[in-house]
Amino acid sequence: MTVYIDPPVWPGHGRLWSHLVSDVSYDELHAFAAGIGCPPRAFERDHYDLPAERYGDAVRAGAVEIGSKELVRRLMGAGLRRRKGQGRGRAS
């Protein structure tokens, strides 16, 4: 089980954000996110948006820190990348 997180460098709503992804399945990602208390509404298409202040929680729980470009490469390589317009739902 590997879940990845990129650095909190994405601005929005007065905060910085990270992206949390799995390169195995959405089920794995949803389970990990629930385990660290990430609300379902934070899921967007293929990742969870995680505020900077929660970054350490994810890493302590086992998320592997990688750069944003590598995160996207792994997501695409696993066939789990969903572009805008492909839905926001909690599909598995």
Side-chain angles (χ1 to χ4, degrees):
M1 174 169 146
T2 305
V3 173
Y4 299 95
I5 190 165
D6 64 359
V9 298
W10 305 98
H13 308 287
R15 303 163 104 173
L16 292 176
W17 299 82
S18 291
H19 300 113
L20 189 67
V21 305
S22 167
D23 66 354
V24 173
S25 72
Y26 296 118
D27 288 338
E28 174 188 56
L29 178 60
H30 297 315
F32 185 91
I36 62 170
C38 192
R41 71 179 178 276
F43 182 70
E44 185 171 341
R45 292 188 315 272
D46 54 15
H47 67 276
Y48 279 84
D49 291 320
L50 200 67
E53 59 270 16
R54 299 294 315 277
Y55 183 86
D57 297 337
V59 172
R60 283 188 292 280
V64 176
E65 301 168 275
I66 60 174
S68 299
K69 288 181 182 179
E70 181 62 22
L71 182 139
V72 172
R73 275 195 289 272
R74 290 178 188 244
L75 198 55
M76 290 177 73
L80 296 174
R81 181 72 167 137
R82 289 185 180 153
R83 301 214 181 268
K84 287 186 181 184
Q86 286 184 288
R88 180 181 165 85
R90 288 182 54 98
S92 297

